Amino acid sequence: MKMRFLAVCTALAASAALTGCSQLAGSDGGSQKVTLWLMKGSASDDFITKFTTSFEKEHPGIDLEVKIQEWTGIGDKVNAVLEGKSKESADVIEVGNTQVAQYIETGGLSELTLEGLREWGSKDWLKGLSDPGSLNGAQYGVPWYAANRVVIYNKDLFADAGVKALPKNRQDWVQATQKLDKGDQQGIYLAGQNWYVLAGFVWDEGGELAVETSGQWVGALDEDKALAGMEFYKQLQALGNGPKDADEETPSQAKVFARGDVAQIIAPPGQVAEIEAANPALKGKLGFFPIPGKTSDKAGAVLTGGSDLIIPERTKQRAGAVDVITALNSEKWQTELARSMSYVPNKTTLAHVVEGNEGAASMAASAAQGRATPNSARWAEIEADNPIKPFMTAVLSGQDPKQAAKTASDTISRVLSSDR
């Protein structure tokens, strides 16, 4: 797909003596190519086609090549580009928001702090996307889109239990769930090791999974505020029959919910498609609401997933790459992407564009309280052999919370702060 770009000469006050500016054309006078890597499934073919056509029309002079990448093995491919060891080239790359720290550590990312401030409205970015993309005040990852968990509920079961108003705070939520948890019906299905959900409860209490002090990461699950988050998790988890020693995919919580005897699960709205595929009778009977917070004035904290955009420092097309990100960050294309893919836009000021989509609107309300995992390049190693999961099982099984949390915190400290 071809795109052309016309360079615009910009006179700066400090460059009054400048008599001309170079154009972003190839050395042969032809167009330049800018390569954009997008991950498979992040955007529809229709979105990519429309975006390319529009950008091509508005930027004559650049040929834009969009390459779709698989998530499997993407880390090695991106690192190869950043290190100049790849046979492939990329000028803009979509990466998972929590992956940016790894690439910052690798080196070879172009800093985008000024562009964020001047052109992209960085003050309004979702923190769950922007925070993982920064280091020491410098921005390297530019938020693109977000997704997070909400409560998916069975409207019929809520009506049968007399729950007319959707919960706005934790107290209302627990009371409603207690009404829904009766007989063979589960008030909520919450697996014992769903640490993504626990993270939000911990943050709501003012706790942390880990904290950085003088360059060293220390696990913080044994702090009182974090333990309070685990205590609320235990209270909620008891209002259903979720296994204490397994996560949300063992078995698949979507398939459990599809049986029709579970009132609620906590999951991304996209799981509704899987639920309805397993039980078509539930079509039109499922609703969404944000995970309630401690008070009614704001939704609960959530772990934000999604993607950032990065520019390799080695790119020879930095100006064109910046223009691509500028377009993708525009209200027009943020709206198009959010509505077509049921995502949350990258700014709090754009939450209104998904108001007609119940699932996305619920995500957007939660995304304002979104957070990311600790901004360590080694966090992926924590998730690979996750010490938070056995900690949760231990507490739910009646073991001493403080002791179990200390064991998990020690492991987190050792992994995040040890030398590679």
Side-chain angles (χ1 to χ4, degrees), residues 129-154:
L129 294 178
S130 63
D131 285 356
S134 66
L135 180 67
N136 298 326
Q139 196 72 38
Y140 297 93
V142 179
W144 189 29
Y145 69 83
N148 50 257
R149 289 162 181 78
V150 301
V151 181
I152 302 175
Y153 73 100
N154 186 312

PDB file of all heavy atoms in Angstrom, residues 129-154:
ATOM      1  N   LEU A 129      -1.194   2.989  30.065  1.00  0.00           N
ATOM      2  CA  LEU A 129      -0.462   2.851  28.806  1.00  0.00           C
ATOM      3  C   LEU A 129       0.801   3.698  28.787  1.00  0.00           C
ATOM      4  O   LEU A 129       1.837   3.274  28.283  1.00  0.00           O
ATOM      5  CB  LEU A 129      -1.351   3.255  27.627  1.00  0.00           C
ATOM      6  CG  LEU A 129      -2.567   2.386  27.309  1.00  0.00           C
ATOM      7  CD1 LEU A 129      -3.340   2.991  26.144  1.00  0.00           C
ATOM      8  CD2 LEU A 129      -2.171   0.951  26.987  1.00  0.00           C
ATOM      9  N   SER A 130       0.703   4.906  29.321  1.00  0.00           N
ATOM     10  CA  SER A 130       1.842   5.831  29.234  1.00  0.00           C
ATOM     11  C   SER A 130       2.934   5.538  30.254  1.00  0.00           C
ATOM     12  O   SER A 130       4.120   5.653  29.938  1.00  0.00           O
ATOM     13  CB  SER A 130       1.361   7.279  29.397  1.00  0.00           C
ATOM     14  OG  SER A 130       0.778   7.496  30.672  1.00  0.00           O
ATOM     15  N   ASP A 131       2.561   5.147  31.469  1.00  0.00           N
ATOM     16  CA  ASP A 131       3.577   4.915  32.499  1.00  0.00           C
ATOM     17  C   ASP A 131       4.572   3.812  32.118  1.00  0.00           C
ATOM     18  O   ASP A 131       5.785   3.970  32.316  1.00  0.00           O
ATOM     19  CB  ASP A 131       2.915   4.584  33.841  1.00  0.00           C
ATOM     20  CG  ASP A 131       2.327   5.823  34.513  1.00  0.00           C
ATOM     21  OD1 ASP A 131       2.500   6.933  33.973  1.00  0.00           O
ATOM     22  OD2 ASP A 131       1.680   5.681  35.571  1.00  0.00           O
ATOM     23  N   PRO A 132       4.105   2.675  31.568  1.00  0.00           N
ATOM     24  CA  PRO A 132       5.080   1.640  31.188  1.00  0.00           C
ATOM     25  C   PRO A 132       5.987   2.075  30.047  1.00  0.00           C
ATOM     26  O   PRO A 132       7.036   1.462  29.833  1.00  0.00           O
ATOM     27  CB  PRO A 132       4.201   0.460  30.757  1.00  0.00           C
ATOM     28  CG  PRO A 132       2.860   0.733  31.315  1.00  0.00           C
ATOM     29  CD  PRO A 132       2.729   2.219  31.338  1.00  0.00           C
ATOM     30  N   GLY A 133       5.573   3.119  29.321  1.00  0.00           N
ATOM     31  CA  GLY A 133       6.360   3.576  28.183  1.00  0.00           C
ATOM     32  C   GLY A 133       7.355   4.658  28.520  1.00  0.00           C
ATOM     33  O   GLY A 133       7.968   5.237  27.612  1.00  0.00           O
ATOM     34  N   SER A 134       7.534   4.949  29.809  1.00  0.00           N
ATOM     35  CA  SER A 134       8.440   6.023  30.195  1.00  0.00           C
ATOM     36  C   SER A 134       9.491   5.526  31.184  1.00  0.00           C
ATOM     37  O   SER A 134       9.292   4.531  31.880  1.00  0.00           O
ATOM     38  CB  SER A 134       7.657   7.183  30.821  1.00  0.00           C
ATOM     39  OG  SER A 134       7.081   6.787  32.052  1.00  0.00           O
ATOM     40  N   LEU A 135      10.587   6.258  31.241  1.00  0.00           N
ATOM     41  CA  LEU A 135      11.659   5.960  32.196  1.00  0.00           C
ATOM     42  C   LEU A 135      12.330   7.267  32.569  1.00  0.00           C
ATOM     43  O   LEU A 135      12.781   8.020  31.700  1.00  0.00           O
ATOM     44  CB  LEU A 135      12.685   5.005  31.588  1.00  0.00           C
ATOM     45  CG  LEU A 135      13.862   4.628  32.500  1.00  0.00           C
ATOM     46  CD1 LEU A 135      13.371   3.789  33.678  1.00  0.00           C
ATOM     47  CD2 LEU A 135      14.925   3.873  31.717  1.00  0.00           C
ATOM     48  N   ASN A 136      12.349   7.551  33.874  1.00  0.00           N
ATOM     49  CA  ASN A 136      12.996   8.761  34.390  1.00  0.00           C
ATOM     50  C   ASN A 136      12.499  10.024  33.692  1.00  0.00           C
ATOM     51  O   ASN A 136      13.275  10.932  33.363  1.00  0.00           O
ATOM     52  CB  ASN A 136      14.517   8.655  34.249  1.00  0.00           C
ATOM     53  CG  ASN A 136      15.092   7.497  35.047  1.00  0.00           C
ATOM     54  OD1 ASN A 136      14.598   7.157  36.111  1.00  0.00           O
ATOM     55  ND2 ASN A 136      16.132   6.876  34.510  1.00  0.00           N
ATOM     56  N   GLY A 137      11.187  10.056  33.429  1.00  0.00           N
ATOM     57  CA  GLY A 137      10.589  11.239  32.830  1.00  0.00           C
ATOM     58  C   GLY A 137      10.670  11.312  31.322  1.00  0.00           C
ATOM     59  O   GLY A 137      10.104  12.223  30.709  1.00  0.00           O
ATOM     60  N   ALA A 138      11.368  10.382  30.695  1.00  0.00           N
ATOM     61  CA  ALA A 138      11.473  10.355  29.238  1.00  0.00           C
ATOM     62  C   ALA A 138      10.472   9.359  28.674  1.00  0.00           C
ATOM     63  O   ALA A 138      10.348   8.242  29.177  1.00  0.00           O
ATOM     64  CB  ALA A 138      12.887   9.969  28.819  1.00  0.00           C
ATOM     65  N   GLN A 139       9.752   9.748  27.620  1.00  0.00           N
ATOM     66  CA  GLN A 139       8.719   8.906  27.027  1.00  0.00           C
ATOM     67  C   GLN A 139       9.261   8.204  25.792  1.00  0.00           C
ATOM     68  O   GLN A 139       9.800   8.840  24.878  1.00  0.00           O
ATOM     69  CB  GLN A 139       7.495   9.752  26.648  1.00  0.00           C
ATOM     70  CG  GLN A 139       6.235   8.945  26.379  1.00  0.00           C
ATOM     71  CD  GLN A 139       5.651   8.366  27.656  1.00  0.00           C
ATOM     72  OE1 GLN A 139       5.665   9.023  28.696  1.00  0.00           O
ATOM     73  NE2 GLN A 139       5.120   7.161  27.581  1.00  0.00           N
ATOM     74  N   TYR A 140       9.098   6.881  25.767  1.00  0.00           N
ATOM     75  CA  TYR A 140       9.549   6.084  24.626  1.00  0.00           C
ATOM     76  C   TYR A 140       8.386   5.352  23.958  1.00  0.00           C
ATOM     77  O   TYR A 140       8.436   5.093  22.762  1.00  0.00           O
ATOM     78  CB  TYR A 140      10.596   5.061  25.073  1.00  0.00           C
ATOM     79  CG  TYR A 140      11.850   5.684  25.623  1.00  0.00           C
ATOM     80  CD1 TYR A 140      11.996   5.919  26.988  1.00  0.00           C
ATOM     81  CD2 TYR A 140      12.887   6.041  24.774  1.00  0.00           C
ATOM     82  CE1 TYR A 140      13.158   6.494  27.498  1.00  0.00           C
ATOM     83  CE2 TYR A 140      14.057   6.624  25.273  1.00  0.00           C
ATOM     84  CZ  TYR A 140      14.180   6.852  26.637  1.00  0.00           C
ATOM     85  OH  TYR A 140      15.323   7.430  27.132  1.00  0.00           O
ATOM     86  N   GLY A 141       7.366   4.984  24.737  1.00  0.00           N
ATOM     87  CA  GLY A 141       6.207   4.294  24.192  1.00  0.00           C
ATOM     88  C   GLY A 141       5.014   5.229  24.156  1.00  0.00           C
ATOM     89  O   GLY A 141       4.701   5.896  25.151  1.00  0.00           O
ATOM     90  N   VAL A 142       4.347   5.305  23.021  1.00  0.00           N
ATOM     91  CA  VAL A 142       3.201   6.194  22.834  1.00  0.00           C
ATOM     92  C   VAL A 142       1.919   5.371  22.901  1.00  0.00           C
ATOM     93  O   VAL A 142       1.736   4.446  22.105  1.00  0.00           O
ATOM     94  CB  VAL A 142       3.293   6.917  21.478  1.00  0.00           C
ATOM     95  CG1 VAL A 142       2.089   7.827  21.277  1.00  0.00           C
ATOM     96  CG2 VAL A 142       4.589   7.712  21.386  1.00  0.00           C
ATOM     97  N   PRO A 143       1.022   5.663  23.831  1.00  0.00           N
ATOM     98  CA  PRO A 143      -0.217   4.891  23.946  1.00  0.00           C
ATOM     99  C   PRO A 143      -0.993   4.848  22.637  1.00  0.00           C
ATOM    100  O   PRO A 143      -1.114   5.859  21.941  1.00  0.00           O
ATOM    101  CB  PRO A 143      -0.993   5.667  25.022  1.00  0.00           C
ATOM    102  CG  PRO A 143       0.062   6.288  25.869  1.00  0.00           C
ATOM    103  CD  PRO A 143       1.135   6.682  24.894  1.00  0.00           C
ATOM    104  N   TRP A 144      -1.528   3.671  22.324  1.00  0.00           N
ATOM    105  CA  TRP A 144      -2.353   3.525  21.125  1.00  0.00           C
ATOM    106  C   TRP A 144      -3.774   3.123  21.486  1.00  0.00           C
ATOM    107  O   TRP A 144      -4.726   3.813  21.155  1.00  0.00           O
ATOM    108  CB  TRP A 144      -1.722   2.523  20.162  1.00  0.00           C
ATOM    109  CG  TRP A 144      -2.415   2.509  18.821  1.00  0.00           C
ATOM    110  CD1 TRP A 144      -3.069   3.560  18.235  1.00  0.00           C
ATOM    111  CD2 TRP A 144      -2.519   1.413  17.908  1.00  0.00           C
ATOM    112  NE1 TRP A 144      -3.584   3.182  17.009  1.00  0.00           N
ATOM    113  CE2 TRP A 144      -3.252   1.872  16.781  1.00  0.00           C
ATOM    114  CE3 TRP A 144      -2.057   0.104  17.924  1.00  0.00           C
ATOM    115  CZ2 TRP A 144      -3.539   1.053  15.695  1.00  0.00           C
ATOM    116  CZ3 TRP A 144      -2.331  -0.709  16.832  1.00  0.00           C
ATOM    117  CH2 TRP A 144      -3.074  -0.236  15.726  1.00  0.00           C
ATOM    118  N   TYR A 145      -3.963   2.008  22.170  1.00  0.00           N
ATOM    119  CA  TYR A 145      -5.309   1.616  22.600  1.00  0.00           C
ATOM    120  C   TYR A 145      -5.200   0.804  23.876  1.00  0.00           C
ATOM    121  O   TYR A 145      -4.138   0.279  24.209  1.00  0.00           O
ATOM    122  CB  TYR A 145      -6.038   0.806  21.515  1.00  0.00           C
ATOM    123  CG  TYR A 145      -5.466  -0.569  21.277  1.00  0.00           C
ATOM    124  CD1 TYR A 145      -5.826  -1.652  22.082  1.00  0.00           C
ATOM    125  CD2 TYR A 145      -4.557  -0.806  20.252  1.00  0.00           C
ATOM    126  CE1 TYR A 145      -5.297  -2.923  21.871  1.00  0.00           C
ATOM    127  CE2 TYR A 145      -4.016  -2.065  20.037  1.00  0.00           C
ATOM    128  CZ  TYR A 145      -4.387  -3.111  20.845  1.00  0.00           C
ATOM    129  OH  TYR A 145      -3.850  -4.366  20.646  1.00  0.00           O
ATOM    130  N   ALA A 146      -6.318   0.699  24.576  1.00  0.00           N
ATOM    131  CA  ALA A 146      -6.327  -0.030  25.847  1.00  0.00           C
ATOM    132  C   ALA A 146      -7.503  -0.994  25.901  1.00  0.00           C
ATOM    133  O   ALA A 146      -8.504  -0.845  25.187  1.00  0.00           O
ATOM    134  CB  ALA A 146      -6.411   0.947  27.027  1.00  0.00           C
ATOM    135  N   ALA A 147      -7.369  -1.974  26.783  1.00  0.00           N
ATOM    136  CA  ALA A 147      -8.455  -2.901  27.107  1.00  0.00           C
ATOM    137  C   ALA A 147      -8.261  -3.339  28.554  1.00  0.00           C
ATOM    138  O   ALA A 147      -7.130  -3.391  29.039  1.00  0.00           O
ATOM    139  CB  ALA A 147      -8.449  -4.112  26.177  1.00  0.00           C
ATOM    140  N   ASN A 148      -9.334  -3.598  29.238  1.00  0.00           N
ATOM    141  CA  ASN A 148      -9.223  -4.031  30.634  1.00  0.00           C
ATOM    142  C   ASN A 148     -10.456  -4.838  31.021  1.00  0.00           C
ATOM    143  O   ASN A 148     -11.409  -4.982  30.235  1.00  0.00           O
ATOM    144  CB  ASN A 148      -9.042  -2.838  31.576  1.00  0.00           C
ATOM    145  CG  ASN A 148     -10.066  -1.734  31.368  1.00  0.00           C
ATOM    146  OD1 ASN A 148      -9.748  -0.701  30.759  1.00  0.00           O
ATOM    147  ND2 ASN A 148     -11.282  -1.925  31.853  1.00  0.00           N
ATOM    148  N   ARG A 149     -10.443  -5.349  32.226  1.00  0.00           N
ATOM    149  CA  ARG A 149     -11.532  -6.204  32.696  1.00  0.00           C
ATOM    150  C   ARG A 149     -12.691  -5.383  33.251  1.00  0.00           C
ATOM    151  O   ARG A 149     -12.494  -4.304  33.813  1.00  0.00           O
ATOM    152  CB  ARG A 149     -11.001  -7.184  33.754  1.00  0.00           C
ATOM    153  CG  ARG A 149     -10.113  -8.238  33.157  1.00  0.00           C
ATOM    154  CD  ARG A 149      -9.224  -8.942  34.168  1.00  0.00           C
ATOM    155  NE  ARG A 149      -8.381  -9.920  33.491  1.00  0.00           N
ATOM    156  CZ  ARG A 149      -7.293  -9.614  32.799  1.00  0.00           C
ATOM    157  NH1 ARG A 149      -6.897  -8.364  32.718  1.00  0.00           N
ATOM    158  NH2 ARG A 149      -6.596 -10.555  32.185  1.00  0.00           N
ATOM    159  N   VAL A 150     -13.880  -5.932  33.080  1.00  0.00           N
ATOM    160  CA  VAL A 150     -15.107  -5.373  33.640  1.00  0.00           C
ATOM    161  C   VAL A 150     -15.889  -6.531  34.246  1.00  0.00           C
ATOM    162  O   VAL A 150     -15.468  -7.683  34.183  1.00  0.00           O
ATOM    163  CB  VAL A 150     -15.946  -4.661  32.549  1.00  0.00           C
ATOM    164  CG1 VAL A 150     -15.168  -3.529  31.901  1.00  0.00           C
ATOM    165  CG2 VAL A 150     -16.419  -5.664  31.484  1.00  0.00           C
ATOM    166  N   VAL A 151     -17.018  -6.222  34.833  1.00  0.00           N
ATOM    167  CA  VAL A 151     -17.913  -7.282  35.305  1.00  0.00           C
ATOM    168  C   VAL A 151     -18.911  -7.599  34.202  1.00  0.00           C
ATOM    169  O   VAL A 151     -19.597  -6.706  33.696  1.00  0.00           O
ATOM    170  CB  VAL A 151     -18.657  -6.861  36.586  1.00  0.00           C
ATOM    171  CG1 VAL A 151     -19.555  -8.007  37.069  1.00  0.00           C
ATOM    172  CG2 VAL A 151     -17.682  -6.465  37.683  1.00  0.00           C
ATOM    173  N   ILE A 152     -18.959  -8.857  33.810  1.00  0.00           N
ATOM    174  CA  ILE A 152     -19.975  -9.335  32.864  1.00  0.00           C
ATOM    175  C   ILE A 152     -21.036 -10.045  33.694  1.00  0.00           C
ATOM    176  O   ILE A 152     -20.718 -10.901  34.520  1.00  0.00           O
ATOM    177  CB  ILE A 152     -19.367 -10.313  31.844  1.00  0.00           C
ATOM    178  CG1 ILE A 152     -18.212  -9.642  31.082  1.00  0.00           C
ATOM    179  CG2 ILE A 152     -20.436 -10.799  30.864  1.00  0.00           C
ATOM    180  CD1 ILE A 152     -17.475 -10.583  30.129  1.00  0.00           C
ATOM    181  N   TYR A 153     -22.294  -9.665  33.505  1.00  0.00           N
ATOM    182  CA  TYR A 153     -23.342 -10.238  34.360  1.00  0.00           C
ATOM    183  C   TYR A 153     -24.514 -10.783  33.551  1.00  0.00           C
ATOM    184  O   TYR A 153     -24.764 -10.356  32.408  1.00  0.00           O
ATOM    185  CB  TYR A 153     -23.827  -9.219  35.389  1.00  0.00           C
ATOM    186  CG  TYR A 153     -24.686  -8.104  34.845  1.00  0.00           C
ATOM    187  CD1 TYR A 153     -26.082  -8.148  34.957  1.00  0.00           C
ATOM    188  CD2 TYR A 153     -24.117  -6.978  34.246  1.00  0.00           C
ATOM    189  CE1 TYR A 153     -26.875  -7.111  34.473  1.00  0.00           C
ATOM    190  CE2 TYR A 153     -24.902  -5.942  33.766  1.00  0.00           C
ATOM    191  CZ  TYR A 153     -26.282  -6.013  33.881  1.00  0.00           C
ATOM    192  OH  TYR A 153     -27.065  -4.979  33.408  1.00  0.00           O
ATOM    193  N   ASN A 154     -25.237 -11.709  34.159  1.00  0.00           N
ATOM    194  CA  ASN A 154     -26.412 -12.327  33.566  1.00  0.00           C
ATOM    195  C   ASN A 154     -27.633 -11.520  33.989  1.00  0.00           C
ATOM    196  O   ASN A 154     -28.003 -11.506  35.162  1.00  0.00           O
ATOM    197  CB  ASN A 154     -26.518 -13.782  34.045  1.00  0.00           C
ATOM    198  CG  ASN A 154     -27.634 -14.547  33.378  1.00  0.00           C
ATOM    199  OD1 ASN A 154     -28.769 -14.068  33.301  1.00  0.00           O
ATOM    200  ND2 ASN A 154     -27.341 -15.757  32.927  1.00  0.00           N
TER     201      ASN A 154
END
